[in-house]
Amino acid sequence: MTTKRDQKAQATAQEIAAECIAFRVRRLNRTVSHIYDQTLGAQGVTISQFGLLAAIQLLGPVQPREIGEKLQLEKSTVCRNVRLMVDKKWVQVHGSEDGRAKLLTLTRSGQDVFVAAAPAWEAAQKNTKALVGADVGSIVDRLLEEKHSS
Amino acid sequence: MTTKRDQKAQATAQEIAAECIAFRVRRLNRTVSHIYDQTLGAQGVTISQFGLLAAIQLLGPVQPREIGEKLQLEKSTVCRNVRLMVDKKWVQVHGSEDGRAKLLTLTRSGQDVFVAAAPAWEAAQKNTKALVGADVGSIVDRLLEEKHSS
DNA sequence: AGATTTTAGTTGCATCTGCAACCAATCTCA
DNA sequence: TGAGATTGGTTGCAGATGCAACTAAAATCT
């Protein structure tokens, strides 16, 4: 027996399957992240960590706060992810004039890990382009241009 | 003092910041998921759960295995996420002829929650389009066309 | 039929993520 | 200067995710 409830739910489900942006973006994220994690795994780094290493190398000495802004990561997430890498001696924490703030830099061994993982990143990057097209990066960039005010 | 190590690491970091697809896709995912979770939160559902409800409504009675394939979710992830919803009485588990397999359907209350959350989803969908452009869905679809062999 | 392989699902472990509540340091302003 | 607001970071809690190892059931092969 098909109830009115069923019909409504089924129609809604069809609309969502056909249109939901989050559904698509999340699935794309899983697929792409999986490629990078597979390849980087041999180097003992996750794509999340690799990105954080790149950010700290690029911006350091940098506050966790700023990392969170650039990467759109909640401050507590940054706090924890950084701590894991501090434990591994990849990241060093310094104080700053502002007694609240901390400043992060890569250690030598952090830089070594980062650079050593770069070829794996490159391979993942290549495989990803083969899967989703070479212009994915610029497409996503265009989507997010300036816009995340939140 | 700038060492050779520094220079190499810095150059690598710049390339990654400029080009890494995973970096962009993951940030997009966080931004978009955040919008949906904010809006759906009032209904007591996450976007992950909402997507699963839609999938089960649409495909049910359906095996967890198949859910994993369609959504590109690891089987253990499906197992756990489904269990949370079984605990909430949103999803019912049935046996099947194949003694290994299980079959999932939404309960009435699961359908009610799903349908009740639909307006919130619609709002999130609208906000997301405002942020990233209305054609995001089809763009991401094109990226993933047929391709996830994994 | 019996042994081997494959398939579906579960569980232990670890990482990633966000929210709310919290602490300490700084800033604002009356 | 001192009270209140803001800012940077941490912690408790909970969900989302994947891998490896495991169990049970089914399928395959000899």
Side-chain angles (χ1 to χ4, degrees):
Chain A
M1 174 202 64
T2 300
T3 64
K4 207 168 276 189
R5 175 191 285 107
D6 279 322
Q7 292 170 28
K8 174 65 176 166
Q10 189 67 13
T12 306
Q14 282 169 356
E15 185 187 355
I16 285 156
E19 310 230 327
C20 184
I21 295 166
F23 187 87
R24 288 161 171 70
V25 167
R26 290 168 60 83
R27 193 180 44 188
L28 176 66
N29 174 57
R30 287 191 293 268
T31 302
V32 168
S33 291
H34 188 254
I35 295 173
Y36 287 78
D37 275 331
Q38 286 294 306
T39 315
L40 286 170
Q43 310 299 317
V45 214
T46 63
I47 179 58
S48 168
Q49 292 165 357
F50 186 74
L52 221 36
L53 288 176
I56 296 173
Q57 170 64 44
L58 195 63
L59 305 172
V62 60
Q63 290 183 30
R65 197 208 88 251
E66 194 179 344
I67 301 276
E69 283 170 13
K70 305 269 188 197
L71 275 61
Q72 293 285 293
L73 278 169
E74 218 272 336
K75 57 185 180 173
S76 65
T77 302
V78 176
C79 176
R80 279 177 243 273
N81 291 0
V82 163
R83 188 186 304 160
L84 281 182
M85 300 201 301
V86 171
D87 291 346
K88 291 177 200 277
K89 314 290 187 195
W90 292 349
V91 171
Q92 177 150 24
V93 183
H94 316 264
S96 73
E97 317 83 50
D98 185 334
R100 296 167 293 187
K102 297 185 170 183
L103 288 174
L104 310 174
T105 55
L106 292 197
T107 62
R108 290 182 181 205
S109 97
Q111 289 181 321
D112 288 342
V113 168
F114 176 58
V115 170
W121 169 80
E122 198 131 16
Q125 183 84 350
K126 186 181 162 197
N127 291 341
T128 303
K129 285 180 181 174
L131 181 66
V132 297
D135 48 349
V136 144
S138 57
I139 289 174
V140 176
D141 273 348
R142 222 171 306 132
L143 297 178
L144 282 177
E145 262 165 18
E146 307 286 324
K147 297 177 184 168
H148 25 65
S149 52
S150 179
Chain B
M1 176 199 63
T2 300
T3 66
K4 207 167 274 187
R5 175 190 285 106
D6 278 323
Q7 292 170 28
K8 175 64 175 166
Q10 188 67 14
T12 306
Q14 283 169 357
E15 185 186 355
I16 285 156
E19 310 231 328
C20 184
I21 296 166
F23 187 86
R24 287 161 172 69
V25 167
R26 290 168 60 84
R27 192 181 44 188
L28 176 66
N29 175 57
R30 287 192 292 268
T31 302
V32 169
S33 291
H34 188 253
I35 295 173
Y36 287 78
D37 275 331
Q38 287 293 307
T39 316
L40 287 170
Q43 311 299 317
V45 215
T46 63
I47 179 58
S48 167
Q49 292 167 356
F50 187 74
L52 222 35
L53 289 175
I56 295 172
Q57 170 63 45
L58 195 62
L59 307 171
V62 60
Q63 291 182 30
R65 198 207 86 252
E66 193 179 344
I67 301 276
E69 281 169 16
K70 305 269 189 200
L71 277 59
Q72 293 284 293
L73 279 169
E74 218 274 335
K75 59 186 180 171
S76 64
T77 302
V78 176
C79 175
R80 280 177 243 273
N81 291 0
V82 163
R83 188 185 306 159
L84 281 180
M85 299 200 302
V86 171
D87 292 346
K88 291 177 200 277
K89 315 288 185 197
W90 293 350
V91 171
Q92 177 149 26
V93 182
H94 318 264
S96 72
E97 318 84 50
D98 185 333
R100 297 168 292 185
K102 297 187 170 182
L103 288 174
L104 310 174
T105 55
L106 292 196
T107 61
R108 291 184 180 204
S109 97
Q111 289 181 321
D112 288 342
V113 167
F114 176 59
V115 170
W121 169 79
E122 196 131 19
Q125 183 84 350
K126 186 181 161 197
N127 291 340
T128 303
K129 285 180 180 173
L131 181 65
V132 297
D135 46 352
V136 161
S138 57
I139 289 174
V140 176
D141 273 348
R142 224 171 305 134
L143 297 179
L144 282 177
E145 262 165 20
E146 306 286 325
K147 297 175 185 170
H148 26 65
S149 52
S150 180

